[in-house]
Amino acid sequence: MQILIQFALGLLFGAGLIVAGMADPAKVLNFLDVAAIGTTWDASLMFVLGGAIAVTFLGYRLVLKRPAPQMASQFHLPAPAPIDASILIGPAIFGVGWGLVGLCPGPAFVALGAGNVEAALFTAAMLAGMWGARLLSLRAAALQRA
Amino acid sequence: MTPTEFTPFASLVGGAKIGLASVLLMLAFGRIAGISGIAVRVLPPYLDGEALGRLAFVLGLVGAPLIWLLATGAMPVASFDAGPALLVAGGLLVGFGSVWGNGCTSGHGLCGLSRLSTRSLVAVGTFMATAIATVFVMRHLI
């Protein structure tokens, strides 16, 4: 049951990305191309973020008032952490890759499902990069504890 | 480059659906809808018993275009400017950077900003800046 719900939520998230136009890298790159404001710039992504944040901001307020989630024992929220180099380095690297291709992780999986060879290549490299970063950060955390 | 149409209404509706999925994920499982965090924990090492649920969520993302195909009769469009080398480089950078920075467009951009997290605001400002700079270099300088 839980697995089915997770699958359905993935479908809903993915359908949202498709309707919003974010599964098309051209639309993302045209948004990021601010030098083209007034010509080929596509402002649609501001509306994606606006719609998504409006719903999530209000929805989280309601949901997080509850003592616990429906199908788990507790909420898993990131603990507050200081602003350090890691919160600049990771996103800076991520942004360069996003700007090179126009895909971030969610849309990559959606474009993969649409049968794009380009998306398959991108997603394989993305998973390798993710795995490498996780192994490296787990190793770093273990060294810090030792 | 491929020109695209300005779609404020569809993008707003799609964004609201993404938001709804994030809220329901929090309501049901108490989890942030951060795609990079979900995807990387489908791979080993498995530190909790939830890898299968995460795999189901990712398979939902992959399956979404099929629902779209059934509903509209056509696959969603995705047009790429990047060739194979850039696709691999971009994928590695997106994957490494999102996990190293503990989040991507969804985890920091959507869930983090919705929780008014300062760290996420810094992350979003940083990746927007480097993404805009990268597109500028690729389209207008090279």
Side-chain angles (χ1 to χ4, degrees):
Chain A
M1 184 65 187
Q2 295 208 3
I3 301 285
L4 272 179
I5 293 176
Q6 300 258 43
F7 179 71
L9 291 180
L11 279 179
L12 178 64
F13 197 104
L17 286 171
I18 295 170
V19 172
M22 273 202 82
D24 185 359
K27 215 163 163 59
V28 175
L29 292 180
N30 286 345
F31 168 71
L32 293 170
D33 189 7
V34 294
I37 289 179
T39 56
T40 57
W41 187 55
D42 185 345
S44 305
L45 255 66
M46 291 203 310
F47 290 78
V48 183
L49 198 64
I53 288 185
V55 171
T56 307
F57 177 78
L58 293 172
Y60 272 11
R61 304 234 127 185
L62 295 173
V63 168
L64 292 174
K65 273 187 195 147
R66 310 170 68 94
Q70 299 275 0
M71 309 179 100
S73 56
Q74 54 172 312
F75 291 108
H76 302 269
L77 298 174
I83 308 286
D84 54 16
S86 74
I87 203 60
L88 296 173
I89 295 169
I93 295 172
F94 165 78
V96 172
W98 194 34
L100 282 179
V101 178
L103 279 182
C104 51
F109 287 115
V110 173
L112 173 71
N116 280 283
V117 183
E118 291 98 334
L121 193 56
F122 179 90
T123 306
M126 178 182 84
L127 287 171
M130 286 178 164
W131 201 40
R134 178 145 187 256
L135 294 183
L136 213 71
S137 66
L138 287 174
R139 172 69 58 89
L143 282 176
Q144 252 179 11
R145 276 196 302 272
Chain B
M1 62 157 286
T2 313
T4 51
E5 198 185 332
F6 177 49
T7 54
F9 185 69
S11 288
L12 200 62
V13 171
K17 279 191 184 187
I18 296 167
L20 181 62
S22 309
V23 173
L24 291 176
L25 197 67
M26 185 62 78
L27 175 66
F29 305 105
R31 293 282 180 188
I32 292 277
I35 308 300
S36 54
I38 291 173
V40 76
R41 286 173 183 79
V42 171
L43 305 168
Y46 302 115
L47 306 178
D48 58 26
E50 298 189 41
L52 214 56
R54 295 189 178 102
L55 177 64
F57 186 89
V58 170
L59 289 178
L61 290 175
V62 175
L66 289 174
I67 303 290
W68 188 256
L69 177 66
L70 290 175
T72 68
M75 274 292 183
V77 181
S79 34
F80 290 81
D81 289 345
L86 276 187
L87 287 167
V88 170
L92 286 170
L93 294 170
V94 162
F96 187 92
S98 59
V99 169
W100 197 253
N102 278 317
C104 54
T105 349
S106 50
H108 283 309
L110 171 56
C111 302
L113 292 187
S114 292
R115 294 176 58 234
L116 308 178
S117 153
T118 315
R119 258 174 81 83
S120 288
L121 186 62
V122 172
V124 173
T126 305
F127 71 61
M128 286 303 300
T130 58
I132 286 171
T134 302
V135 170
F136 185 78
V137 169
M138 297 300 289
R139 284 200 171 169
H140 303 285
L141 295 185
I142 294 180

